[in-house]
Amino acid sequence: MEPEIRTLVDISHSPAALKSQADIMLGRARWAGSIFQRFDRATTQRIVDAVAEAAHAHAGKYAEWAVEETGFGVVEHKRLKNELTATAFADHYRDADFINPVVDDARKMLRIPRPAGVVFALTPSTNPISTLNFKILIALMTRNAIVISPHPAARACCVDAARMLAEVAVQAGAPDGIIQIIEQPSIPLIEQFMASELTSVILATGGTAMVRSAYSSSNPAIGVGPGNAPVYVDPTARLPEAAKRIVSSKSFDNSILCTNESVLITLPEVEKKLTQSLKQAGAYLCDPEEVSALRRFLFHERGFNVAAVGRDATWIARECGIRVPANTKILLAPIEQIGVEERLSREKLCPVLAFHVAKNRSQALAQARAVLRLTGAGHSAAIHAEDPQVIVDYGRMVEAYRVVVNAPCSQGAAGFETHLAPTFTIGTGYFGRSSVGENIGPHHLVHWTSIAFNADGSVPFADFTTSDFGFDGPLPAAPADGVPGEGRSRLRAGPVSPSRQTARGGSSGLDSAMRDELRRLIAEELRNVIKGSN
């Protein structure tokens, strides 16, 4: 059965009409999620794999579409990001278990996973398809339903991708309605989704204003802040390798990732050699007049010039009247200070790298800290050094939860060239006024109920080997107009041993009379929801 992705037609701007639209989608998602939570691990993994394989197969198509629609980035790099958030991402979590109960005999405790329910996910224009893939997969891995709000600038490619992945998920056995997308997003409509009692958690990736709105919605939210990663190159670093990594990272997808290096800091004793290595790697060193032209073009009274986002170095140079070689990968802009007065020390989602020479190592570390305090607190930082103590000192000094060592920061902080958890949503923690400081992953969409026994050794611990944990298996698809109810009778699949259960297959066994009754009850609830919203 093909899944139905609801088309939201803005027939009215009234809060009641918008709430009704939100409730219909969220109600279907809530029903789908309640069914999905009865699936066992093997069945869930089959759905995840099918969606991941489809995302990988269409990575190139949607990379081209995203660049054409948004004007941001490099097709080949976006294709790679789309692939990294497909089968490679599913493989990374293949051995993780977010479904089976866990028995801890030593502590006399049984832990039962509890999916969030309905995830409302905001996706950005800068990394639209890779973020969409990522959020859909972490929702499916944890048996959650997901409703996606795409950025308007990347709406068409995201809607098409979500439709395709939803169809694949249903064909693989997922409940209809488990993946949905808002086809005509607007701020008032998004606010209704974020504030709805049917939303379990908001997964926000986007601008600061939208993330703050998610946190103030009254619903649980996992949000991220802006990046502005400093990169310190120490005299102990292997300069040619450091230069290649930095240029490769800063030019990757035209620096659209928020994990890219923003300000390079080094010391006088290696300035000349490092500059030469950077030029050999594809950097163009700007003179003072060219730096001034860059500053004027990239920043104006309203902030960063969004026309430069995701553009290549030669395009930006041409707009600034700077003549550069055709093979230029990044523009290197020397600056004398770091702080609010120097706009080039702020975040720049384009291949322009500020370059600052500190007087000594102590000042260099303090300046790296200042970069993050200006913007990007809690996000990411990078260092190229061979001295372990310098690396430790840097990690302790900067207010960041990811410090990438001797690797490209764009890919390294996102977990693709380090062993950090792979992600397209970066938690900025307490430093960045966020609830989570680590790389967001599927484990953030499931909580655990702990059934704890008396610690007294004389009180026995139970044997849960034959206990039934409710893996009833697939049930019928949601009706097209269905806003589900809860508490429906369910079939028992028999006892399942914690951490050792096997896949349940076959049909649910519901006869036609039961199906008709289920549809009648769902339709009645839909009418009540719509009636109560007006």
PDB file of all heavy atoms in Angstrom, residues 136-165:
ATOM      1  N   ILE A 136      15.031  10.918   9.656  1.00  0.00           N
ATOM      2  CA  ILE A 136      14.111   9.811   9.395  1.00  0.00           C
ATOM      3  C   ILE A 136      14.684   8.503   9.923  1.00  0.00           C
ATOM      4  O   ILE A 136      13.984   7.726  10.585  1.00  0.00           O
ATOM      5  CB  ILE A 136      13.813   9.709   7.882  1.00  0.00           C
ATOM      6  CG1 ILE A 136      12.860  10.829   7.459  1.00  0.00           C
ATOM      7  CG2 ILE A 136      13.213   8.342   7.537  1.00  0.00           C
ATOM      8  CD1 ILE A 136      12.589  10.875   5.972  1.00  0.00           C
ATOM      9  N   LEU A 137      15.965   8.261   9.676  1.00  0.00           N
ATOM     10  CA  LEU A 137      16.557   6.988  10.111  1.00  0.00           C
ATOM     11  C   LEU A 137      16.636   6.866  11.624  1.00  0.00           C
ATOM     12  O   LEU A 137      16.367   5.791  12.174  1.00  0.00           O
ATOM     13  CB  LEU A 137      17.938   6.810   9.479  1.00  0.00           C
ATOM     14  CG  LEU A 137      17.924   6.463   7.988  1.00  0.00           C
ATOM     15  CD1 LEU A 137      19.344   6.393   7.441  1.00  0.00           C
ATOM     16  CD2 LEU A 137      17.201   5.134   7.737  1.00  0.00           C
ATOM     17  N   ILE A 138      16.998   7.932  12.326  1.00  0.00           N
ATOM     18  CA  ILE A 138      17.070   7.799  13.791  1.00  0.00           C
ATOM     19  C   ILE A 138      15.673   7.633  14.386  1.00  0.00           C
ATOM     20  O   ILE A 138      15.507   6.994  15.433  1.00  0.00           O
ATOM     21  CB  ILE A 138      17.835   8.955  14.470  1.00  0.00           C
ATOM     22  CG1 ILE A 138      17.127  10.301  14.302  1.00  0.00           C
ATOM     23  CG2 ILE A 138      19.261   9.029  13.962  1.00  0.00           C
ATOM     24  CD1 ILE A 138      17.778  11.418  15.122  1.00  0.00           C
ATOM     25  N   ALA A 139      14.654   8.193  13.726  1.00  0.00           N
ATOM     26  CA  ALA A 139      13.283   7.969  14.186  1.00  0.00           C
ATOM     27  C   ALA A 139      12.874   6.518  13.964  1.00  0.00           C
ATOM     28  O   ALA A 139      12.304   5.872  14.856  1.00  0.00           O
ATOM     29  CB  ALA A 139      12.321   8.915  13.465  1.00  0.00           C
ATOM     30  N   LEU A 140      13.181   5.986  12.796  1.00  0.00           N
ATOM     31  CA  LEU A 140      12.810   4.595  12.514  1.00  0.00           C
ATOM     32  C   LEU A 140      13.573   3.619  13.394  1.00  0.00           C
ATOM     33  O   LEU A 140      13.014   2.614  13.847  1.00  0.00           O
ATOM     34  CB  LEU A 140      13.066   4.273  11.038  1.00  0.00           C
ATOM     35  CG  LEU A 140      12.213   5.025  10.010  1.00  0.00           C
ATOM     36  CD1 LEU A 140      12.615   4.626   8.596  1.00  0.00           C
ATOM     37  CD2 LEU A 140      10.722   4.783  10.234  1.00  0.00           C
ATOM     38  N   MET A 141      14.858   3.863  13.634  1.00  0.00           N
ATOM     39  CA  MET A 141      15.649   2.969  14.480  1.00  0.00           C
ATOM     40  C   MET A 141      15.053   2.825  15.879  1.00  0.00           C
ATOM     41  O   MET A 141      15.223   1.795  16.533  1.00  0.00           O
ATOM     42  CB  MET A 141      17.080   3.500  14.601  1.00  0.00           C
ATOM     43  CG  MET A 141      17.917   3.373  13.359  1.00  0.00           C
ATOM     44  SD  MET A 141      19.532   4.179  13.597  1.00  0.00           S
ATOM     45  CE  MET A 141      20.241   3.976  11.971  1.00  0.00           C
ATOM     46  N   THR A 142      14.366   3.869  16.334  1.00  0.00           N
ATOM     47  CA  THR A 142      13.824   3.877  17.695  1.00  0.00           C
ATOM     48  C   THR A 142      12.311   3.724  17.715  1.00  0.00           C
ATOM     49  O   THR A 142      11.677   3.955  18.727  1.00  0.00           O
ATOM     50  CB  THR A 142      14.237   5.182  18.399  1.00  0.00           C
ATOM     51  OG1 THR A 142      13.969   6.296  17.538  1.00  0.00           O
ATOM     52  CG2 THR A 142      15.711   5.179  18.726  1.00  0.00           C
ATOM     53  N   ARG A 143      11.729   3.345  16.563  1.00  0.00           N
ATOM     54  CA  ARG A 143      10.293   3.083  16.429  1.00  0.00           C
ATOM     55  C   ARG A 143       9.448   4.315  16.761  1.00  0.00           C
ATOM     56  O   ARG A 143       8.422   4.227  17.444  1.00  0.00           O
ATOM     57  CB  ARG A 143       9.877   1.895  17.293  1.00  0.00           C
ATOM     58  CG  ARG A 143      10.552   0.592  16.931  1.00  0.00           C
ATOM     59  CD  ARG A 143      10.168  -0.517  17.887  1.00  0.00           C
ATOM     60  NE  ARG A 143      10.536  -0.188  19.249  1.00  0.00           N
ATOM     61  CZ  ARG A 143      10.096  -0.834  20.328  1.00  0.00           C
ATOM     62  NH1 ARG A 143       9.265  -1.854  20.186  1.00  0.00           N
ATOM     63  NH2 ARG A 143      10.485  -0.472  21.530  1.00  0.00           N
ATOM     64  N   ASN A 144       9.902   5.460  16.263  1.00  0.00           N
ATOM     65  CA  ASN A 144       9.145   6.694  16.398  1.00  0.00           C
ATOM     66  C   ASN A 144       8.538   7.087  15.059  1.00  0.00           C
ATOM     67  O   ASN A 144       9.094   6.801  14.001  1.00  0.00           O
ATOM     68  CB  ASN A 144      10.058   7.827  16.870  1.00  0.00           C
ATOM     69  CG  ASN A 144      10.403   7.721  18.335  1.00  0.00           C
ATOM     70  OD1 ASN A 144       9.542   7.859  19.203  1.00  0.00           O
ATOM     71  ND2 ASN A 144      11.671   7.464  18.632  1.00  0.00           N
ATOM     72  N   ALA A 145       7.427   7.794  15.113  1.00  0.00           N
ATOM     73  CA  ALA A 145       6.882   8.446  13.924  1.00  0.00           C
ATOM     74  C   ALA A 145       7.557   9.802  13.780  1.00  0.00           C
ATOM     75  O   ALA A 145       8.001  10.393  14.764  1.00  0.00           O
ATOM     76  CB  ALA A 145       5.375   8.617  14.049  1.00  0.00           C
ATOM     77  N   ILE A 146       7.629  10.310  12.547  1.00  0.00           N
ATOM     78  CA  ILE A 146       8.294  11.582  12.322  1.00  0.00           C
ATOM     79  C   ILE A 146       7.494  12.432  11.340  1.00  0.00           C
ATOM     80  O   ILE A 146       6.993  11.937  10.334  1.00  0.00           O
ATOM     81  CB  ILE A 146       9.737  11.384  11.820  1.00  0.00           C
ATOM     82  CG1 ILE A 146      10.465  12.732  11.683  1.00  0.00           C
ATOM     83  CG2 ILE A 146       9.778  10.604  10.514  1.00  0.00           C
ATOM     84  CD1 ILE A 146      11.961  12.607  11.481  1.00  0.00           C
ATOM     85  N   VAL A 147       7.339  13.697  11.691  1.00  0.00           N
ATOM     86  CA  VAL A 147       6.736  14.704  10.814  1.00  0.00           C
ATOM     87  C   VAL A 147       7.804  15.746  10.545  1.00  0.00           C
ATOM     88  O   VAL A 147       8.381  16.308  11.481  1.00  0.00           O
ATOM     89  CB  VAL A 147       5.492  15.348  11.443  1.00  0.00           C
ATOM     90  CG1 VAL A 147       4.940  16.439  10.526  1.00  0.00           C
ATOM     91  CG2 VAL A 147       4.422  14.297  11.724  1.00  0.00           C
ATOM     92  N   ILE A 148       8.080  16.004   9.278  1.00  0.00           N
ATOM     93  CA  ILE A 148       9.190  16.871   8.893  1.00  0.00           C
ATOM     94  C   ILE A 148       8.677  18.217   8.407  1.00  0.00           C
ATOM     95  O   ILE A 148       7.703  18.284   7.637  1.00  0.00           O
ATOM     96  CB  ILE A 148      10.029  16.212   7.781  1.00  0.00           C
ATOM     97  CG1 ILE A 148      10.600  14.887   8.280  1.00  0.00           C
ATOM     98  CG2 ILE A 148      11.140  17.132   7.295  1.00  0.00           C
ATOM     99  CD1 ILE A 148      10.986  13.940   7.179  1.00  0.00           C
ATOM    100  N   SER A 149       9.334  19.274   8.840  1.00  0.00           N
ATOM    101  CA  SER A 149       9.068  20.613   8.329  1.00  0.00           C
ATOM    102  C   SER A 149      10.299  21.062   7.560  1.00  0.00           C
ATOM    103  O   SER A 149      11.315  21.405   8.151  1.00  0.00           O
ATOM    104  CB  SER A 149       8.780  21.586   9.480  1.00  0.00           C
ATOM    105  OG  SER A 149       8.606  22.901   8.981  1.00  0.00           O
ATOM    106  N   PRO A 150      10.238  21.047   6.222  1.00  0.00           N
ATOM    107  CA  PRO A 150      11.415  21.418   5.445  1.00  0.00           C
ATOM    108  C   PRO A 150      11.594  22.925   5.401  1.00  0.00           C
ATOM    109  O   PRO A 150      10.630  23.690   5.539  1.00  0.00           O
ATOM    110  CB  PRO A 150      11.072  20.876   4.048  1.00  0.00           C
ATOM    111  CG  PRO A 150       9.578  20.999   3.970  1.00  0.00           C
ATOM    112  CD  PRO A 150       9.084  20.700   5.364  1.00  0.00           C
ATOM    113  N   HIS A 151      12.832  23.354   5.199  1.00  0.00           N
ATOM    114  CA  HIS A 151      13.076  24.784   4.982  1.00  0.00           C
ATOM    115  C   HIS A 151      12.430  25.175   3.658  1.00  0.00           C
ATOM    116  O   HIS A 151      12.545  24.447   2.663  1.00  0.00           O
ATOM    117  CB  HIS A 151      14.577  25.055   4.942  1.00  0.00           C
ATOM    118  CG  HIS A 151      14.921  26.501   5.012  1.00  0.00           C
ATOM    119  ND1 HIS A 151      14.765  27.354   3.936  1.00  0.00           N
ATOM    120  CD2 HIS A 151      15.414  27.267   6.027  1.00  0.00           C
ATOM    121  CE1 HIS A 151      15.142  28.569   4.277  1.00  0.00           C
ATOM    122  NE2 HIS A 151      15.532  28.551   5.542  1.00  0.00           N
ATOM    123  N   PRO A 152      11.733  26.313   3.601  1.00  0.00           N
ATOM    124  CA  PRO A 152      11.066  26.706   2.348  1.00  0.00           C
ATOM    125  C   PRO A 152      11.993  26.763   1.146  1.00  0.00           C
ATOM    126  O   PRO A 152      11.573  26.488   0.022  1.00  0.00           O
ATOM    127  CB  PRO A 152      10.504  28.096   2.680  1.00  0.00           C
ATOM    128  CG  PRO A 152      10.296  28.071   4.161  1.00  0.00           C
ATOM    129  CD  PRO A 152      11.421  27.249   4.699  1.00  0.00           C
ATOM    130  N   ALA A 153      13.279  27.103   1.367  1.00  0.00           N
ATOM    131  CA  ALA A 153      14.216  27.206   0.251  1.00  0.00           C
ATOM    132  C   ALA A 153      14.581  25.849  -0.329  1.00  0.00           C
ATOM    133  O   ALA A 153      15.125  25.778  -1.428  1.00  0.00           O
ATOM    134  CB  ALA A 153      15.482  27.936   0.693  1.00  0.00           C
ATOM    135  N   ALA A 154      14.298  24.772   0.409  1.00  0.00           N
ATOM    136  CA  ALA A 154      14.598  23.418  -0.077  1.00  0.00           C
ATOM    137  C   ALA A 154      13.344  22.553  -0.034  1.00  0.00           C
ATOM    138  O   ALA A 154      13.425  21.326   0.064  1.00  0.00           O
ATOM    139  CB  ALA A 154      15.699  22.797   0.772  1.00  0.00           C
ATOM    140  N   ARG A 155      12.197  23.175  -0.147  1.00  0.00           N
ATOM    141  CA  ARG A 155      10.934  22.478   0.036  1.00  0.00           C
ATOM    142  C   ARG A 155      10.701  21.375  -0.995  1.00  0.00           C
ATOM    143  O   ARG A 155      10.356  20.243  -0.648  1.00  0.00           O
ATOM    144  CB  ARG A 155       9.779  23.487  -0.024  1.00  0.00           C
ATOM    145  CG  ARG A 155       8.412  22.887   0.278  1.00  0.00           C
ATOM    146  CD  ARG A 155       7.298  23.860  -0.053  1.00  0.00           C
ATOM    147  NE  ARG A 155       7.249  24.118  -1.492  1.00  0.00           N
ATOM    148  CZ  ARG A 155       6.665  23.303  -2.374  1.00  0.00           C
ATOM    149  NH1 ARG A 155       6.086  22.173  -1.959  1.00  0.00           N
ATOM    150  NH2 ARG A 155       6.655  23.594  -3.654  1.00  0.00           N
ATOM    151  N   ALA A 156      10.889  21.687  -2.269  1.00  0.00           N
ATOM    152  CA  ALA A 156      10.527  20.737  -3.322  1.00  0.00           C
ATOM    153  C   ALA A 156      11.331  19.445  -3.247  1.00  0.00           C
ATOM    154  O   ALA A 156      10.774  18.344  -3.323  1.00  0.00           O
ATOM    155  CB  ALA A 156      10.698  21.395  -4.691  1.00  0.00           C
ATOM    156  N   CYS A 157      12.652  19.554  -3.092  1.00  0.00           N
ATOM    157  CA  CYS A 157      13.473  18.337  -3.046  1.00  0.00           C
ATOM    158  C   CYS A 157      13.175  17.529  -1.785  1.00  0.00           C
ATOM    159  O   CYS A 157      13.155  16.293  -1.820  1.00  0.00           O
ATOM    160  CB  CYS A 157      14.962  18.674  -3.162  1.00  0.00           C
ATOM    161  SG  CYS A 157      15.660  19.662  -1.823  1.00  0.00           S
ATOM    162  N   CYS A 158      12.922  18.219  -0.673  1.00  0.00           N
ATOM    163  CA  CYS A 158      12.639  17.505   0.575  1.00  0.00           C
ATOM    164  C   CYS A 158      11.292  16.791   0.527  1.00  0.00           C
ATOM    165  O   CYS A 158      11.161  15.650   0.996  1.00  0.00           O
ATOM    166  CB  CYS A 158      12.683  18.479   1.753  1.00  0.00           C
ATOM    167  SG  CYS A 158      14.332  18.994   2.240  1.00  0.00           S
ATOM    168  N   VAL A 159      10.279  17.452  -0.034  1.00  0.00           N
ATOM    169  CA  VAL A 159       8.963  16.826  -0.131  1.00  0.00           C
ATOM    170  C   VAL A 159       9.037  15.568  -0.996  1.00  0.00           C
ATOM    171  O   VAL A 159       8.498  14.514  -0.646  1.00  0.00           O
ATOM    172  CB  VAL A 159       7.927  17.820  -0.694  1.00  0.00           C
ATOM    173  CG1 VAL A 159       6.639  17.095  -1.092  1.00  0.00           C
ATOM    174  CG2 VAL A 159       7.622  18.904   0.331  1.00  0.00           C
ATOM    175  N   ASP A 160       9.723  15.660  -2.114  1.00  0.00           N
ATOM    176  CA  ASP A 160       9.846  14.505  -2.994  1.00  0.00           C
ATOM    177  C   ASP A 160      10.604  13.370  -2.314  1.00  0.00           C
ATOM    178  O   ASP A 160      10.207  12.202  -2.397  1.00  0.00           O
ATOM    179  CB  ASP A 160      10.554  14.914  -4.288  1.00  0.00           C
ATOM    180  CG  ASP A 160      10.407  13.866  -5.377  1.00  0.00           C
ATOM    181  OD1 ASP A 160       9.371  13.862  -6.064  1.00  0.00           O
ATOM    182  OD2 ASP A 160      11.341  13.041  -5.534  1.00  0.00           O
ATOM    183  N   ALA A 161      11.697  13.703  -1.629  1.00  0.00           N
ATOM    184  CA  ALA A 161      12.493  12.682  -0.949  1.00  0.00           C
ATOM    185  C   ALA A 161      11.696  12.019   0.170  1.00  0.00           C
ATOM    186  O   ALA A 161      11.739  10.792   0.338  1.00  0.00           O
ATOM    187  CB  ALA A 161      13.778  13.298  -0.403  1.00  0.00           C
ATOM    188  N   ALA A 162      10.965  12.820   0.944  1.00  0.00           N
ATOM    189  CA  ALA A 162      10.181  12.259   2.048  1.00  0.00           C
ATOM    190  C   ALA A 162       9.070  11.352   1.523  1.00  0.00           C
ATOM    191  O   ALA A 162       8.792  10.293   2.099  1.00  0.00           O
ATOM    192  CB  ALA A 162       9.597  13.382   2.897  1.00  0.00           C
ATOM    193  N   ARG A 163       8.425  11.751   0.437  1.00  0.00           N
ATOM    194  CA  ARG A 163       7.391  10.911  -0.163  1.00  0.00           C
ATOM    195  C   ARG A 163       7.975   9.560  -0.574  1.00  0.00           C
ATOM    196  O   ARG A 163       7.389   8.502  -0.328  1.00  0.00           O
ATOM    197  CB  ARG A 163       6.817  11.606  -1.398  1.00  0.00           C
ATOM    198  CG  ARG A 163       5.752  12.645  -1.126  1.00  0.00           C
ATOM    199  CD  ARG A 163       5.280  13.249  -2.440  1.00  0.00           C
ATOM    200  NE  ARG A 163       4.116  14.085  -2.267  1.00  0.00           N
ATOM    201  CZ  ARG A 163       2.857  13.655  -2.305  1.00  0.00           C
ATOM    202  NH1 ARG A 163       2.627  12.362  -2.485  1.00  0.00           N
ATOM    203  NH2 ARG A 163       1.858  14.478  -2.155  1.00  0.00           N
ATOM    204  N   MET A 164       9.124   9.600  -1.223  1.00  0.00           N
ATOM    205  CA  MET A 164       9.755   8.374  -1.695  1.00  0.00           C
ATOM    206  C   MET A 164      10.131   7.469  -0.528  1.00  0.00           C
ATOM    207  O   MET A 164       9.852   6.259  -0.535  1.00  0.00           O
ATOM    208  CB  MET A 164      10.993   8.735  -2.530  1.00  0.00           C
ATOM    209  CG  MET A 164      11.736   7.550  -3.130  1.00  0.00           C
ATOM    210  SD  MET A 164      13.010   6.850  -2.038  1.00  0.00           S
ATOM    211  CE  MET A 164      14.158   8.226  -1.946  1.00  0.00           C
ATOM    212  N   LEU A 165      10.746   8.031   0.510  1.00  0.00           N
ATOM    213  CA  LEU A 165      11.165   7.220   1.653  1.00  0.00           C
ATOM    214  C   LEU A 165       9.962   6.696   2.436  1.00  0.00           C
ATOM    215  O   LEU A 165      10.001   5.584   2.976  1.00  0.00           O
ATOM    216  CB  LEU A 165      12.090   8.030   2.557  1.00  0.00           C
ATOM    217  CG  LEU A 165      13.429   8.446   1.933  1.00  0.00           C
ATOM    218  CD1 LEU A 165      14.245   9.276   2.915  1.00  0.00           C
ATOM    219  CD2 LEU A 165      14.228   7.231   1.474  1.00  0.00           C
TER     220      LEU A 165
END
